Amino acid sequence: MACVNDCDTHAPEAVGAPPATLKILVAGGFGAGKTTFVGAVSEIEPLSTEELLSGVGASSDPLHGVEEKTTTTVALDFGRITLDERHVLYLFGTPGQHRFWFLWEELCAGALGAVVLADTRRLADCFPAVDFFERRGIAFIVAVNEFDGGHRYGPDEVREAVGLGPEVPVVQCDARLASSGTGALAALVRHLLCMSTASSSSSESGEPL
């Protein structure tokens, strides 16, 4: 699948056809920057369900590495971005705390792909999201959110540490910057387009998918 990270193949567009709407999830561990990511790239005022961290929450979700965090998403974040004239993305940020993971099943219904944010200060926290999407056959990329003061790892180092296959794109981003977040979303769309092209080619040739 040589086209996974850079594919220039596009399906023909019908004249005057409305843009395709794509549901995309933004997932990752507690404090990985999901709410910040959605808020930075959304062209509308994002819907956020953040609440102040309580003593109960702090005891069940350790703050090691994210001591400055004072709020957490308890349901979802929602935003929208027009990526280009052919694609409008609806973004759904998942809650990161373990006790809210039951919401992931409902949020992933109809999702075409996901951005998994990885925080190199707590890299293991992205493992559950990676496992969740792999088990459900949902395409995803891993975006390494480069926090100030965090160690900088190259994409190959992150790929090896997380146990990703060569077909999964790994990109670097700063969740605070709209341009950086948009770049990560564009990488996911390219990945989805390439997977669709590869699947269509295999079907036409009679090869197993």
Side-chain angles (χ1 to χ4, degrees):
M1 297 179 63
C3 68
V4 164
N5 290 305
D6 186 12
C7 180
D8 294 325
T9 302
H10 301 290
E13 293 293 317
V15 176
T21 57
L22 309 175
K23 180 180 180 180
I24 301 297
L25 300 184
V26 180
F30 175 59
K34 300 178 293 297
T35 299
T36 300
F37 183 99
V38 173
V41 302
S42 179
E43 64 193 25
I44 62 172
E45 185 68 26
L47 167 66
S48 180
T49 57
E50 285 209 313
E51 297 290 345
L52 289 173
L53 282 169
S54 64
V56 173
S59 63
S60 60
D61 299 286
L63 296 177
H64 175 67
V66 289
E67 289 83 1
E68 73 285 358
K69 187 169 177 61
T70 59
T71 61
T72 186
T73 297
V74 297
L76 59 86
D77 298 308
F78 174 77
R80 186 188 71 201
I81 177 172
T82 301
L83 197 60
D84 57 36
E85 67 276 8
R86 300 186 301 117
H87 301 101
V88 175
L89 307 184
Y90 290 106
L91 308 176
F92 291 79
T94 65
Q97 291 179 285
H98 186 274
R99 64 183 182 278
F100 297 126
W101 283 358
F102 68 92
L103 293 170
W104 287 29
E105 288 288 355
E106 185 171 348
L107 287 175
C108 79
L112 294 182
V115 173
V116 175
L117 284 177
D119 177 358
T120 57
R121 302 170 301 174
R122 295 159 54 114
L123 192 57
D125 286 4
C126 76
F127 292 177
V130 168
D131 182 66
F132 180 88
F133 296 124
E134 285 182 337
R135 288 178 179 273
R136 288 157 182 80
I138 297 175
F140 66 94
I141 68 167
V142 171
V144 181
N145 191 10
E146 298 186 324
F147 284 90
D148 295 337
H151 188 79
R152 298 293 191 260
Y153 293 99
D156 290 340
E157 293 177 292
V158 173
R159 183 184 304 282
E160 182 177 358
V162 181
L164 299 172
E167 74 282 359
V168 179
V170 177
V171 300
Q172 294 168 311
C173 79
D174 184 331
R176 300 168 297 183
L177 302 178
S179 59
S180 187
T182 301
L185 291 169
L188 174 61
V189 171
R190 288 195 298 270
H191 182 43
L192 293 170
L193 288 171
C194 289
M195 291 185 65
S196 176
T197 300
S199 178
S200 297
S201 298
S202 296
S203 297
E204 291 172 1
S205 64
E207 296 177 3
L209 300 180

